[in-house]
Amino acid sequence: MAQRIAFGEWMPDQPGLSGALTDAKNVVSQAVGYGPLPTAATFSEEADENLTTLVAGKTPVNNTKLFAAGSTKIYDVSGIGALTDVSKSGGYTPNSDSDRFRFTQFGNSIIGTNYSDPMQSYTLGTSTEFDDLSASAPLCKFLTVVRDFVVVAFTTESSTVYPARVRWSDLNDETNWVSGATSQADYQDIADGGQIVGIRGGEFGLVFMEKAIHRMSYIGTPLIFQFDNISRGKGCIAASSIAQVQGVSFFLSDDGFYMCDGQNVTAIGSEKVDRYFFANADESAFETMSAAIDPVRKLVIWNYKDIFAQRKLIIYNFKTQKWTHGDAGTDYISDASTAASDLEDLDSISASIDALPVSLDSVLYIGGKYFLGGTSGAYVMTYNGTPATGQIITGDIDAGGRPVVTLARPQIDNGSATVSVVSRTTLAEQPSFGTAVAADSENRVSLRSNGRYHRLKVVPTGDNWTTAIAIDVDIVGQGGR
């Protein structure tokens, strides 16, 4: 008999017989089926050191800058990938490798911290290099903007470390951190929840602690901010696992992935990918995680190191609420936007137009355009390369008896696929796929495999395929004696 196997949800925490996909690699979830995940391509020239952070700033008059930071320098990244050192005089000296630069934008200023040097500031449109923000600004690990305040957390003040302190600047003045009768600058020590591991802003602030999440809401003088515990016992275990879009923050806790809208904390990976992630991730390397938002495709993407020391991606579509995973191709992932380009300077990146890693038609060469990127070693990367080799594996198809899979027809918009099959008599047998067969000119894949349980591996082909929807399979019974 012939049947259509739609490419449903990938849930590696569930058995294959549940009907869930058993793999969805190097693809992204869409409303129907799965689309291609672009590979990471080199965008910039080589920096003097490995890069660990990207940040983009943009003014209302479209003055856009993209910055990349390593451990000792901050670079201005031009629209064609040229790097210019814009560090403060003398550069920077971090206390440890884990204290990489973190940035936020406040008005026209890009403000950064590495928890070692004084907080840094760069005014878009006027500055030529970063400089110390203010003598009164504290050393801090984390920073964000809440309403009209720059807010920092996990501070060091007068040589004393305050791992549970939140501090904020004066109203609309990022240079004044001294509280007083004419200043709204102040601080709050949070007594429960352990250390602060991250902070996110917006109309309200979210303070992520080891075992709690607090919301900070502006209430005016004399208290300035009110702190409410919205999650007692549930916190965040990896500072750089936090990503935010439209007031919703996504993060990794000690038992899986969650989202928080400022009121509720909701599990998004439970019984789907949480067990898979913790079984495959190197928990000792969680400090090297990074997270980014792809608002165009509605994705939250985490970059992490697995138990084989490979960088991997785990990807959540916050509209379809489905997961996929993939090969990273980067050490760090970030959402950013491009600066204006002078295409006459392309020879600083490549001696040949044909050798450019990204087509000249790309948005990367248009100022102020969003792109999903990151860093790999000493290079800025962008996920605008060719589609990665995707792989979709169905769950176990139980047609009863011991039928034979004879034919498959992959349903791939604007493309086709190669298909392989594994058949087993019992679920105790380890699956081992046979030779992959490419679809012919009529989009037919001839197969012959018998058993009670069947899985099909589909690898989409074609440079411009758009959606992997399903696979049609012919399964026929075997004759008896």
Side-chain angles (χ1 to χ4, degrees), residues 26-28 35-39 297 313 315 325-327 383 386-388 465:
N26 289 334
V27 293
V28 297
L37 174 70
T39 55
R297 289 177 291 184
L313 303 177
I315 307 166
H325 70 115
D327 299 317
Y383 284 91
T386 58
W465 74 273

Side-chain angles (χ1 to χ4, degrees), residues 148-167:
D148 300 316
F149 301 84
V150 176
V151 180
V152 302
F154 200 126
T155 66
T156 294
E157 304 170 41
S158 300
S159 300
T160 300
V161 178
Y162 297 95
R165 174 166 291 184
V166 178
R167 194 174 192 100

Side-chain angles (χ1 to χ4, degrees), residues 4 66 103 108 144 172 206 211 287 321 349 368 387 440 472 479:
R4 172 161 291 183
L66 175 64
F103 294 92
N108 290 335
T144 190
N172 281 318
L206 286 178
K211 289 295 182 179
E287 67 180 24
Q321 300 180 15
I349 304 301
D440 62 19
D472 294 341

Side-chain angles (χ1 to χ4, degrees), residues 452-463:
R452 172 151 191 165
Y453 305 101
H454 309 277
R455 290 185 185 181
L456 295 120
K457 180 193 295 183
V458 180
V459 177
T461 57
D463 292 338

Side-chain angles (χ1 to χ4, degrees), residues 44 266 371 393 454:
S44 76
T266 305
F371 75 93
I393 301 178
H454 309 277

Side-chain angles (χ1 to χ4, degrees), residues 72-84:
T72 66
K73 295 180 180 179
I74 303 175
Y75 299 87
D76 175 358
V77 186
S78 79
I80 58 163
L83 300 179
T84 303

Side-chain angles (χ1 to χ4, degrees), residues 43 338 358-366 369 371 382 384:
F43 176 58
T338 56
V358 182
S359 167
L360 285 175
D361 294 330
S362 171
V363 297
L364 294 177
Y365 301 117
I366 304 173
K369 296 299 181 180
F371 75 93
T382 171
N384 279 66

